[in-house]
Amino acid sequence: MNSEHKTPEQLAEAARKELAGLKKPLSPKQRMAIPAQEMPAQDPAVRRGNMQEVALGYSEEQAKLEAERCLQCPTKPCIKGCPVSIDIPAFIQKIAEGDYKASIGIIRESSLLPSVCGRVCPQESQCQEPCTVGKALKSIDKAVSIGRLERYVADWERESGLIQPSAVKPATGKKVGIIGSGPASITVAADVRREGHEVTVFEAFHRPGGVLLYGIPEFRLPKAIVDQEISSLKSMGVEIKTDFVIGRTRRLTDLLEKDGYDALFIGTGAGLPKFMNIEGENLVGVFSANEYLTRANLMKGYDTRAATPIFPSKKVAVLGGGNVAMDAARSAIRLGAEEVHLIYRRTEAEMPARIEEVAHAKEEGVIFHLLQNPVKIRSDERGWVSGMQVLRYELGEPDSSGRRRPVEIKGSEFEMDVDTVIVAIGNESNPLIRQTTPGLETSKWGTLIVDNTGKTSLDRVFAGGDIVLGAATVILAMGEGRRAAAAINKLLAEK
Amino acid sequence: MNRIIFKKQLSDEVFQMRIEAPLIARERRAGQFVIIQINSHFGERIPLTIADADPVEGSITIIFQAVGRTTHLLALKNAGDTVEHLVGPLGQPTHIEKFGRVICVGGGIGVAPLHPIAQAMKAAGNEVIIIMGARNKQLLILEDEMRQIADKLIICTDDGSYGRKALVTAPLKELCEADPKPALAVAIGPPVMMKFCAETTRPYGVHTMVSLNTIMVDGTGMCGGCRVTVGKETKFVCVDGPEFDGHLVDFDNMISRLKAYKPREDADHHRCHLEEVIEKKAE
């Protein structure tokens, strides 16, 4: 089906030959002449029918060759582009030298979840965006593939069985409660536990991992990787309580006042799906991406043994242009939809999704409809979705986000027949904790207000991740977690 | 893991269970529910209302009808068995205060969630009149428990096998016309019953609260699967409800949303019954 698809073996072989031909030391010009290494991937025709990971990871030859593309430039703009300031040139240098252990050691000084971040970070808008190589070659696609290299050494470490749980200092007798078990919470749990404090993680779902588990699909982030991170926490002595909803099973204030917690971290995520406020949004067959993905991922809807049903869709429309929209569209294909249409109000240039996810979605047959937006959803006589009325847009002046504002073209409405609509236009903050915690200050969007250490308006209560940022990324959540953990450790050391 | 302490079959497809859940028993208030998942691997998460709780024993009571795959599997469990996951108490508790005369209407299994609400209304000093309805005598549940709470108990059956041969809306209408006028009606039962209770009280301006049991996954606001149209707004049953003003709920939309997975559920129901028959034959 896809004649351009190269197998991992072909890519490895080409890299091996290229590597053998390199005459060291390499001049910057020679480094820039090395072809950017393509990520080996499952054949699109095959992967449409399975849930396994799409991107297969570099071979050793490819990783070494890609590492040689780094100029080790003195300005190191990549480090500034990384939300947790990983020493990127240094870890890449170690890959070029073949010292993977040293390489992952450098990453681990700054990042806790390299296997995850190497897979899901939007590198093209972070570390790879300012890369000197990409700038010189006038293409973001030609920047050094920092994320793929990060993934390579993180996977090498895991597959070699070298992941060591961090050393834990002697017990301090202090107790820290962490609410939620997504990326921000995992980071805080590890950083706080390291200092010898007792740590309990409270998770509302039956399995820990948060958005890494219920949101990001298996084909983009294998759940075995998330489970590994969780088991690292457990082996450090972090206690994880699932089926525990703070605000309901126990109030936040009770944890502080009655249960003896010295500090708390709230990392409950964004988790309240937004809808578009258009007619027909509550018809049968309209889902939030959260619901659709949770059914598919966490509840294993892709497996016929799962009790959780998945709506039987033939023609699916996914509304949105972010990673979640791509995840939903690509999940729908794998769950057997005949046609999947992605509808986005702006153009591809404005899409917040990672370039790789957009490319993968297209390869898998997702049909993109740009500069379009539904105005109403129609139903049949039973109240089930039968189609949408869609309006066309054109780009106007830039708005406050700097992106050109889509302006509707009057009278351009047309009908689109679909039986399923998945809304992936973002999340608002979950109201549970703010409703049940007096004195916890929130913004007008319902996100928690924190100071520059991550502390909320309540003493001893910190927060981070999407509950503070609104919808953001795994790496930013991790960065926020780091900051809050440092503040918690400082507070408990002083107490 | 939560251990089942006690199990009793109330009617053909309706079961009562007391399950160990000390944290939920301590925090729960009238009107709240739990989500249950029998096993982690392939189990589904379903909401069930809390019919009663005993904070001393550390247990909650659930009453459920074996209609879907999970409720059938649950019905096969016995005292001493466990369910892997039980989370709650979820949802907003019922707003309880002294209103005056409160009419509590329960249909079929809806009497189970109505029980703690009627209890709390009575404890707050209200005059509580309870109307209980079922298709026939055999399907009536919690009659003794409700009789203990009620200032007056009215029983209706569709076939007249017990109490009045009437729908619950008939005595409800009479009470709306009586003096004193009810300050509040609480109706819990099948969606169609709640819809017609709301229609019955509407002309009399009697505020009518209904408790909705919709399809849910997480139960904490994350998925939005439970959403209903109330007035012109979209509300989430799990975090905004489960109780809403019955005069504002779009019941037709809610009823169609409940049928989203009907073909699959019917197939499961059929298969579960077959499995039960096979199991009984094997015994």
Side-chain angles (χ1 to χ4, degrees):
Chain A
M1 176 178 150
N2 186 347
S3 56
E4 284 174 40
H5 180 75
K6 295 194 193 83
T7 66
E9 294 74 25
Q10 287 169 334
L11 291 168
E13 178 57 18
R16 196 186 56 77
K17 281 188 187 147
E18 191 80 29
L19 207 52
L22 291 183
K23 302 239 174 359
K24 293 185 185 180
L26 296 170
S27 69
K29 205 175 161 192
Q30 285 170 306
R31 289 186 190 279
M32 298 225 295
I34 299 172
Q37 291 301 293
E38 190 182 314
M39 180 58 124
Q42 275 197 71
D43 190 318
V46 175
R47 71 188 192 228
R48 288 178 100 243
N50 71 48
M51 289 301 280
Q52 278 123 52
E53 191 168 20
V54 168
L56 300 170
Y58 279 159
S59 60
E60 183 171 13
E61 297 88 344
Q62 280 192 289
K64 279 187 155 171
L65 189 61
E66 184 68 23
E68 294 290 6
R69 296 184 64 237
C70 174
L71 302 176
Q72 297 293 325
C73 62
T75 52
K76 304 176 184 180
C78 49
I79 300 183
K80 291 189 200 80
C82 173
V84 297
S85 307
I86 295 174
D87 189 348
I88 293 164
F91 95 75
I92 292 180
Q93 176 72 43
K94 291 293 172 195
I95 295 177
E97 292 168 11
D99 189 349
Y100 308 125
K101 196 167 180 201
S103 177
I104 188 67
I106 292 166
I107 297 176
R108 286 209 173 268
E109 283 168 21
S110 318
S111 172
L112 197 84
L113 303 167
S115 290
V116 176
C117 294
R119 286 172 166 81
V120 304
C121 260
Q123 289 95 2
E124 64 267 8
S125 58
Q126 296 180 346
C127 54
Q128 290 173 202
E129 196 269 325
C131 171
T132 310
V133 177
K135 295 273 185 225
L137 296 172
K138 297 192 171 53
S139 166
I140 183 74
D141 298 336
K142 299 276 169 62
V144 176
S145 287
I146 300 167
R148 294 170 184 176
L149 291 171
E150 177 185 28
R151 169 178 166 170
Y152 177 77
V153 283
D155 286 358
W156 173 87
E157 181 193 39
R158 195 182 62 254
E159 285 157 15
S160 315
L162 293 173
I163 294 183
Q164 298 271 334
S166 307
V168 173
K169 290 185 185 165
T172 61
K174 305 263 169 65
K175 253 168 72 169
V176 177
I178 293 174
I179 305 160
S181 64
S185 299
I186 291 174
T187 308
V188 178
D191 281 0
V192 170
R193 179 68 192 132
R194 259 197 276 269
E195 291 303 305
H197 308 307
E198 214 177 286
V199 173
T200 308
V201 173
F202 299 97
E203 166 56 45
F205 263 128
H206 53 282
R207 264 177 82 187
V211 70
L212 305 177
L213 209 62
Y214 71 73
I216 306 177
E218 176 77 16
F219 57 79
R220 201 150 76 82
L221 177 66
K223 300 310 148 214
I225 291 173
V226 183
D227 291 342
Q228 163 88 48
E229 298 298 344
I230 297 295
S231 69
S232 290
L233 285 185
K234 285 184 182 162
S235 62
M236 288 172 73
V238 170
E239 189 192 2
I240 298 178
K241 290 189 174 179
T242 52
D243 301 324
F244 208 113
V245 184
I246 299 300
R248 289 272 179 253
T249 313
R250 195 73 170 144
R251 279 163 196 263
L252 189 127
T253 40
D254 288 338
L255 294 178
L256 287 173
E257 289 159 17
K258 297 181 185 159
D259 301 343
Y261 284 90
D262 297 287
L264 298 174
F265 175 78
I266 307 171
T268 48
L272 194 79
K274 277 191 209 166
F275 288 90
M276 307 191 39
N277 285 322
I278 59 173
E279 190 185 324
E281 212 154 41
N282 293 343
L283 293 169
V284 178
V286 184
F287 302 91
S288 73
N290 288 1
E291 179 181 2
Y292 195 77
L293 290 170
T294 302
R295 286 177 179 273
N297 295 322
L298 179 71
M299 307 312 294
K300 306 180 186 172
Y302 56 84
D303 193 308
T304 50
R305 288 170 292 178
T308 303
I310 288 273
F311 194 70
S313 307
K314 287 197 170 70
K315 284 184 80 172
V316 178
V318 177
L319 314 181
N323 287 316
V324 175
M326 300 303 147
D327 288 344
R330 298 170 67 197
S331 295
I333 284 198
R334 285 160 173 78
L335 292 166
E338 288 162 14
E339 277 178 31
V340 178
H341 301 266
L342 187 127
I343 291 128
Y344 183 54
R345 214 154 58 100
R346 305 176 192 242
T347 72
E348 203 174 311
E350 287 85 24
M351 277 190 177
R354 297 175 80 223
I355 292 173
E356 189 171 281
E357 311 312 330
V358 174
H360 281 157
K362 285 183 180 170
E363 287 167 13
E364 289 163 13
V366 176
I367 305 158
F368 280 54
H369 301 258
L370 302 168
L371 290 167
Q372 293 179 13
N373 207 32
V375 282
K376 73 164 127 176
I377 304 170
R378 309 186 251 112
S379 72
D380 63 13
E381 67 290 345
R382 295 175 306 160
W384 291 45
V385 171
S386 63
M388 300 191 304
Q389 193 178 79
V390 184
L391 193 62
R392 291 184 200 279
Y393 285 71
E394 58 192 354
L395 286 185
E397 297 299 310
D399 63 12
S400 57
S401 72
R403 300 183 297 181
R404 288 179 66 191
R405 184 200 304 274
V407 182
E408 59 176 71
I409 303 173
K410 291 235 156 43
S412 66
E413 292 91 344
F414 67 99
E415 297 293 322
M416 186 184 261
D417 287 340
V418 291
D419 55 40
T420 306
V421 178
I422 303 172
V423 184
I425 57 165
N427 285 284
E428 285 168 32
S429 71
N430 194 297
L432 255 181
I433 288 186
R434 69 168 190 265
Q435 279 173 0
T436 54
T437 311
L440 194 60
E441 278 177 23
T442 55
S443 73
K444 64 174 175 178
W445 302 280
T447 52
L448 300 184
I449 296 172
V450 298
D451 67 11
N452 58 12
T453 68
K455 193 182 99 52
T456 66
S457 55
L458 293 178
D459 274 351
R460 300 187 284 149
V461 180
F462 296 77
D466 282 2
I467 189 68
V468 170
L469 299 167
T473 58
V474 170
I475 187 87
L476 282 172
M478 208 180 75
E480 293 247 307
R482 277 259 128 113
R483 180 179 74 167
I488 291 170
N489 286 334
K490 184 164 174 277
L491 173 80
L492 297 187
E494 286 163 0
K495 245 182 95 181
Chain B
M1 284 288 182
N2 302 74
R3 199 172 55 90
I4 298 164
I5 301 168
F6 169 85
K7 176 193 175 184
K8 183 178 163 190
Q9 185 159 6
L10 300 184
S11 72
D12 194 20
E13 287 189 335
V14 177
F15 298 83
Q16 178 175 9
M17 276 181 183
R18 226 160 66 233
I19 307 182
E20 220 168 55
L23 300 176
I24 302 174
R26 178 178 63 186
E27 299 292 329
R28 78 94 211 191
R29 283 153 69 196
Q32 293 186 298
F33 63 94
V34 289
I35 283 198
I36 198 165
Q37 187 185 10
I38 292 179
N39 66 72
S40 301
H41 280 301
F42 294 107
E44 66 181 329
R45 299 168 60 97
I46 59 160
L48 290 174
T49 38
I50 304 171
D52 205 349
D54 182 344
V56 179
E57 185 183 52
S59 69
I60 60 165
T61 297
I62 54 167
I63 292 176
F64 62 93
Q65 190 168 9
V67 283
R69 190 194 284 215
T70 299
T71 43
H72 273 106
L73 287 173
L74 190 58
L76 291 174
K77 293 202 175 259
N78 291 304
D81 293 342
T82 55
V83 291
E84 271 193 50
H85 301 284
L86 194 58
V87 59
L90 301 171
Q92 305 273 3
T94 306
H95 174 69
I96 304 285
E97 63 171 72
K98 187 169 176 184
F99 295 100
R101 174 176 280 191
V102 176
I103 315 293
C104 293
V105 190
I109 189 140
V111 173
L114 187 65
H115 175 249
I117 297 171
Q119 216 170 23
M121 287 294 179
K122 180 70 191 169
N126 292 292
E127 183 199 356
V128 176
I129 300 178
I130 298 176
I131 305 171
M132 285 171 61
R135 287 203 308 276
N136 56 52
K137 183 177 187 214
Q138 212 260 323
L139 296 174
L140 272 177
I141 59 167
L142 302 180
E143 184 190 340
D144 294 342
E145 288 83 347
M146 290 307 237
R147 197 173 290 284
Q148 276 176 27
I149 299 164
D151 290 293
K152 186 178 174 195
L153 181 74
I154 302 163
I155 292 176
C156 306
T157 50
D158 295 2
D159 65 353
S161 55
Y162 191 52
R164 261 174 86 168
K165 182 175 193 269
L167 297 173
V168 290
T169 45
L172 178 61
K173 185 168 192 285
E174 291 157 17
L175 285 162
C176 285
E177 285 165 352
D179 187 46
K181 199 169 113 175
L184 174 71
V186 181
I188 310 181
V192 175
M193 181 212 96
M194 293 192 280
K195 176 183 169 177
F196 284 103
C197 285
E199 288 316 315
T200 303
T201 56
R202 193 191 299 274
Y204 302 97
V206 172
H207 183 62
T208 301
M209 199 182 74
V210 295
S211 178
L212 308 182
N213 190 346
T214 51
I215 294 172
M216 290 184 190
V217 184
D218 65 301
T220 60
M222 195 274 287
C223 85
C226 63
R227 66 195 192 280
V228 287
T229 314
V230 180
K232 292 282 163 215
E233 285 178 88
T234 291
K235 296 279 182 190
F236 287 11
V237 172
C238 66
V239 289
D240 300 318
E243 287 163 9
F244 295 99
D245 181 343
H247 294 153
L248 297 177
V249 172
D250 180 345
F251 282 103
D252 294 338
N253 176 237
M254 179 201 165
I255 290 165
S256 66
R257 286 184 66 78
L258 280 168
K259 291 180 184 155
Y261 301 100
K262 192 88 178 22
R264 158 99 184 243
E265 282 160 10
D266 286 346
D268 282 350
H269 187 74
H270 182 66
R271 215 194 46 241
C272 293
H273 270 280
L274 282 178
E275 279 167 7
E276 264 173 46
V277 171
I278 293 164
E279 189 150 313
K280 276 186 187 147
K281 286 219 168 127
E283 275 167 6

